[in-house]
Amino acid sequence: MLYNSYSSYLKEKYNEKVYKIPVNLPVTCPNRLDGGNGCTYCSDVAVGFEMLSNEISITSQLAQNIEYIGAKYKAKKFVAYFQNFTNTFMPLDIFEKCMMSVVRDDVVEIAISTRPDCINESYLEILKTIKQEYKINICIEMGLQSVNYKTLIKINRGHTLAEYIDAVIMIKKYGFDISTHMILNLPYDDLTDVIEGAKILSALKIDFVKMHSLYIAKNTAMEKDYFSGKLDVKTLQDYVEKAGEFLAYLDKNIVVQRLVGRAPEEDTVFCNYGVSWWKIRDYIEEYMIKNNLTQGCKCNYLNGKSVKRFLV
């Protein structure tokens, strides 16, 4: 096995196909308030597949997509995925109501996408109660994108690595799963940054990772830089190599939810070098096979590496 895939993980855990159902809330992000434009790659509209309007109620969004996706992919169990923007950035009572709206027998997990600086124990207590009362697994998804603090400033993330580490420590106290998004081909990062990202996620014992190739959405600051020639999106081969090395340094127990990001063509000006996501997946796998790499094969830097020689 080249890497620890999410599809295999879900099938092994639930003994059948499980599919993620996006839920679109009318929320924003603290990074977009008070005149802020958010991350330089972030659009002001939801970008995603199978995403219904946030004007539709949560229960209706879930029911419609479960009916459609369940029939299409022959799935009977689902993950309710609060996907867009910052889904803990709302009053506690509304947050609780939103989370409770997806509790149903065929929903086995709730995934909440948010930011490291929007994790608070009050929200985690609500999720803890739901998990205990309804036996639903909880996963907190956080965008980190890069461990390079200079890059985080350049893409206007609005937080640093410290907030991410703080959030991980807080979430782990509650026993929830943690997923982290990493963009491996940001113009400001090199291979050393990418490898260090894998090391930090491994040291923090993250449960899941989503690897992304950079896509450039319409009406964003990055779009302006892209068309003005200020943005170096590197090459497809560069992404493939970074992805392969990232996996080699990533702890083998971390589940890989995604190898490459994707977005609807009509919402972007650049995405995956014009190549389908599954071809990029194949290129990554070919690179790993050619270079004799598997996930975690270079994860030899934890647990007191330098003194292991005395314990043999």
Side-chain angles (χ1 to χ4, degrees):
M1 183 175 67
L2 293 176
Y3 54 89
N4 190 1
S5 74
Y6 187 50
S7 58
S8 298
Y9 163 84
L10 287 175
K11 191 169 184 180
E12 182 177 341
K13 183 174 182 178
Y14 294 107
N15 297 312
E16 62 180 286
K17 185 183 290 291
V18 180
Y19 204 94
K20 264 189 170 181
I21 304 295
V23 179
N24 190 9
L25 297 183
V27 294
T28 184
C29 168
N31 206 23
R32 303 182 68 86
L33 298 181
D34 302 322
N37 296 316
C39 303
T40 58
Y41 55 79
C42 186
S43 139
D44 57 2
V45 295
V47 175
F49 294 92
E50 297 159 344
M51 182 70 65
L52 299 177
S53 170
N54 59 27
E55 295 181 359
I56 303 173
S57 72
I58 295 172
T59 53
S60 294
Q61 286 185 56
L62 200 63
Q64 288 180 43
N65 256 337
I66 282 179
E67 181 179 4
Y68 168 70
I69 291 172
K72 183 177 180 180
Y73 297 103
K74 296 181 173 58
K76 296 180 181 179
K77 293 179 180 178
F78 304 93
V79 177
Y81 181 25
F82 292 91
Q83 182 174 3
N84 279 295
F85 298 118
T86 307
N87 291 278
T88 55
F89 191 55
M90 64 181 77
L92 279 171
D93 57 337
I94 298 177
F95 176 76
E96 182 174 18
K97 182 179 179 181
C98 290
M99 297 302 110
M100 287 298 299
S101 295
V102 299
V103 174
R104 44 185 280 174
D105 291 342
D106 52 0
V107 171
V108 294
E109 296 191 16
I110 299 174
I112 304 103
S113 180
T114 187
R115 289 169 53 87
D117 56 354
C118 279
I119 301 297
N120 181 284
E121 289 197 345
S122 298
Y123 295 85
L124 296 177
E125 285 290 342
I126 289 172
L127 294 173
K128 177 183 176 181
T129 299
I130 293 173
K131 178 180 180 179
Q132 291 177 341
E133 290 190 6
Y134 299 98
K135 311 303 179 187
I136 295 179
N137 194 57
I138 303 291
C139 181
I140 310 293
E141 287 200 7
M142 294 184 290
L144 175 58
Q145 318 308 355
S146 172
V147 297
N148 184 327
Y149 74 93
K150 292 182 179 178
T151 296
L152 294 177
I153 293 171
K154 287 180 178 178
I155 63 176
N156 197 38
R157 274 299 294 172
H159 68 77
T160 68
L161 182 60
E163 285 95 329
Y164 171 78
I165 295 172
D166 177 61
V168 168
I169 293 170
M170 196 184 314
I171 294 167
K172 280 192 168 291
K173 288 194 301 183
Y174 286 82
F176 301 142
D177 289 338
I178 300 173
S179 179
T180 300
H181 294 232
M182 300 292 286
I183 301 175
L184 302 188
N185 62 331
L186 284 164
Y188 325 105
D189 283 358
D190 58 22
L191 181 58
T192 302
D193 297 304
V194 169
I195 290 173
E196 187 66 13
K199 288 183 174 184
I200 288 175
L201 298 191
S202 299
L204 290 172
K205 302 188 184 304
I206 301 305
D207 301 284
F208 307 103
V209 65
K210 280 188 175 178
M211 299 158 57
H212 290 260
S213 60
L214 179 66
Y215 64 77
I216 301 173
K218 294 178 179 178
N219 303 313
T220 61
M222 268 200 179
E223 180 192 25
K224 295 178 182 178
D225 287 344
Y226 177 70
F227 283 121
S228 67
K230 296 178 181 178
L231 202 66
D232 180 8
V233 294
K234 308 298 173 86
T235 64
L236 174 56
Q237 183 59 29
D238 177 78
Y239 181 77
V240 168
E241 292 176 3
K242 284 177 177 174
E245 294 300 325
F246 178 87
L247 289 170
Y249 281 90
L250 188 72
D251 188 297
K252 64 181 181 181
N253 294 308
I254 296 177
V255 177
V256 180
Q257 292 183 313
R258 177 181 295 162
L259 285 177
V260 58
R262 58 194 184 110
E265 184 177 346
E266 63 271 17
D267 296 323
T268 59
V269 296
F270 173 85
C271 185
N272 293 337
Y273 308 91
V275 178
S276 63
W277 70 268
W278 56 267
K279 281 189 177 180
I280 298 178
R281 176 203 62 195
D282 290 348
Y283 293 153
I284 294 170
E285 292 179 353
E286 289 168 7
Y287 174 85
M288 295 180 74
I289 292 170
K290 180 180 178 181
N291 292 278
N292 197 29
L293 300 177
T294 58
Q295 182 178 337
C297 68
K298 296 183 180 181
C299 186
N300 61 349
Y301 46 83
L302 301 175
N303 193 29
K305 172 189 173 183
S306 293
V307 296
K308 286 180 181 178
R309 71 188 72 181
F310 301 112
L311 304 177
V312 176

